[in-house]
Amino acid sequence: MAKLPLLFFLLFLSLKSGGNMIMVNGQKTRCVAKPSSDQATLLSNLNYACSHVDCRVLQKGCPCSSPENLMNRASIAMNLYYRSKGTDHWNCDFRGSALVVVTDPSYGNCIYA
């Protein structure tokens, strides 16, 4: 658990430098919605991201279609956008409603790239 603050510090330094965000301390980064985001913001982020990237993994019966909650769906779409546009911190801003994380949020067969 003591390593967690160090990882966030390293993430902060990487964001501050404006460098490529592919790896932080040897770990891949992902983009997820901030837990404090409201439903309207999540829906806007989902729609925006899916207008720019292929979000078929969210369709019913696909690996990331469940659980069907807006936080989950928006995070997956936002991460798809972040990965496709380049893993620079500005591709995971979504008007301040997103976070770059090093923790892998993948679950079951739904793999965050």
Side-chain angles (χ1 to χ4, degrees), residues 20-99:
N20 194 322
M21 292 296 300
I22 292 174
M23 301 289 268
V24 172
N25 197 27
Q27 296 181 327
K28 289 183 182 179
T29 58
R30 290 147 183 103
C31 180
V32 297
K34 281 185 180 176
S36 61
S37 299
D38 61 47
Q39 297 292 300
T41 299
L42 293 172
L43 185 58
S44 175
N45 291 350
L46 174 65
N47 290 334
Y48 178 80
C50 290
S51 72
H52 293 278
V53 297
D54 181 2
C55 288
R56 283 183 278 182
V57 297
L58 296 172
Q59 292 177 349
K60 196 170 207 85
C62 291
C64 299
S65 64
S66 179
E68 284 194 37
N69 67 61
L70 199 48
M71 178 67 70
N72 181 63
R73 297 172 69 76
S75 290
I76 293 164
M78 292 160 68
N79 188 62
L80 288 169
Y81 178 89
Y82 173 68
R83 304 300 302 171
S84 74
K85 299 299 180 185
T87 53
D88 296 300
H89 66 91
W90 54 83
N91 291 319
C92 182
D93 182 62
F94 293 89
R95 296 184 179 174
S97 64
L99 297 169

